[in-house]
Amino acid sequence: MIESWRWYGPLDRISLPEIAQTGAAGIVTALHEIPYGEVWPRETIAARRAEIIAAGFDWVAVESLPVHEDIKRGEGDLARIFANYRQSLANLAAEGLRTICYNFMPLLDWTRTDLAHPLPRGGACLRFSAPRMAAFELHMLERAGAEADYSPEALEAAEAWTRRATEQDRADLLAAIMAGLPGAYARYDVAGLREALAGWRGVDRAALRASYRRFLEEVVPTAEELGMRLCVHPDDPPRDILGLPRIVSSGEDIAWVLGAVDAPANGVTLCSGSLGANPANDVPAIARAVAPRIHFAHLRNVRKEPDGSFEEAEHLGGDTDMVALIEALLAEEARRRSEGREDAAIPFRPDHGHDLLGDAERAAHPGYPLIGRLRGLAELRGVAQAVTRLRASG
């Protein structure tokens, strides 16, 4: 497994020399400054890669080459947007990049209600509170029918939160939810979010799947020709949000994606945290089922609650059996090596760490602190080393 680290380029408060001290060998990044739907110029890709190499790393995965919202809605000048996506793939391949992560989540890339939820022993974590999300949807956004998406317990708690919430509480909740918008997009107020959601009216699960199938049909053949690997990131969280469908939330969903265009280039980013937030998902079992098509992995853990809430746990301390998951990934690497593949190693990164010690003062991207992720990487590294030794000893 290739130890890697997500870096936001010039937007990141954590520098490459600091990342070098974590021991990671690879960098996962993107050209976040380029608007969605535009071509990534080869010279810009080359400059970013040269910067990464000069710091002593390899650029092991692109995260993400984003999918324009018009593609997801199935409207607009899609021929131009698809052509731009294919050209960006060609430009990345020309600079030696082969692993491309993306997602197909409508409007929001990820959703949390708390960006710095306090932990019992100090520090903070990302959290999704079903009651707070229900309060936002019902009592701030006033979305019709939202009550059907929440348990009676969450709805009752949402009422209680709304009664005691201050204007600052409401502003903080909106800001946390808006943090999941892609970096190139402006954040909305409540009225603006209502307007943005109106553009998705009529897009149900079937319509989103149809748009996704077309995307795969348009770009996977190009990826195949270029020797690239596309890997979809599961929905975060794995449930419908704001009335918008989520279609990459389970093992069954992933099987549909891989079968929609059945080609090696059409693969998955195995995100243990996103999949792990769905109580129905057995993450190690999903990993074993789709192992040949795992091209990239995000390793993190979550702790779930009965009402649908969850929070980021320690990498080895949540609901997912991380040892079993790493065993599955290492077994797949061994299978690939037995076939003589030079690309047997799966790049992974420690996903979402706790804000620990001085992390809060640094104010890095939510979920991407230095010390918290360093702890996660150290723990994952230890598990991988132990599993590898045990496999070698028989």
Side-chain angles (χ1 to χ4, degrees), residues 72-148:
K72 300 173 189 176
R73 285 192 296 258
E75 64 181 30
D77 183 8
L78 296 188
R80 183 189 71 86
I81 298 174
F82 281 129
N84 286 355
Y85 202 95
R86 289 190 291 265
Q87 186 60 56
S88 293
L89 288 176
N91 291 346
L92 286 162
E95 293 303 322
L97 292 156
R98 294 289 184 267
T99 303
I100 313 297
C101 178
Y102 70 97
N103 75 69
F104 216 80
M105 290 180 264
L107 191 60
L108 297 177
D109 276 6
W110 53 274
T111 306
R112 298 292 186 274
T113 59
D114 303 82
L115 301 182
H117 180 71
L119 293 164
R121 298 185 68 183
C125 70
L126 298 178
R127 177 174 171 80
F128 178 87
S129 163
R132 290 195 188 190
M133 195 69 202
F136 178 78
E137 292 212 57
L138 271 70
H139 305 298
M140 294 174 61
L141 191 62
E142 298 177 336
R143 180 174 72 82
E147 62 276 1

Side-chain angles (χ1 to χ4, degrees), residues 216-337:
L216 293 171
E217 291 170 346
E218 292 276 357
V219 303
V220 170
T222 298
E224 283 281 302
E225 293 171 7
L226 295 169
M228 305 183 86
R229 296 291 184 261
L230 299 175
C231 36
V232 65
H233 187 287
D235 302 325
D236 186 12
R239 52 167 292 166
D240 292 357
I241 291 289
L242 301 175
L244 301 175
R246 295 291 181 95
I247 60 171
V248 192
S249 295
S250 66
E252 292 77 13
D253 288 342
I254 292 172
W256 179 88
V257 172
L258 301 183
V261 175
D262 190 3
N266 180 25
V268 62
T269 296
L270 197 288
C271 180
S272 57
S274 296
L275 291 169
N278 182 340
N281 287 338
D282 180 335
V283 182
I286 291 173
R288 289 189 289 269
V290 301
R293 304 278 275 276
I294 296 174
H295 303 319
F296 184 30
H298 292 177
L299 300 184
R300 62 182 172 92
N301 226 321
V302 296
R303 188 172 291 110
K304 299 182 289 292
E305 298 169 22
D307 67 357
S309 302
F310 64 88
E311 66 185 36
E312 306 285 353
E314 301 87 353
H315 284 74
L316 304 184
D319 296 336
T320 293
D321 185 342
M322 192 62 68
V323 176
L325 178 56
I326 290 175
E327 285 177 332
L329 295 175
L330 289 171
E332 171 57 18
E333 286 189 342
R335 187 195 67 80
R336 295 177 189 184
R337 284 195 298 272

Side-chain angles (χ1 to χ4, degrees), residues 363-374:
H365 286 70
Y368 291 93
L370 177 59
I371 299 169
R373 280 188 291 165
L374 174 57

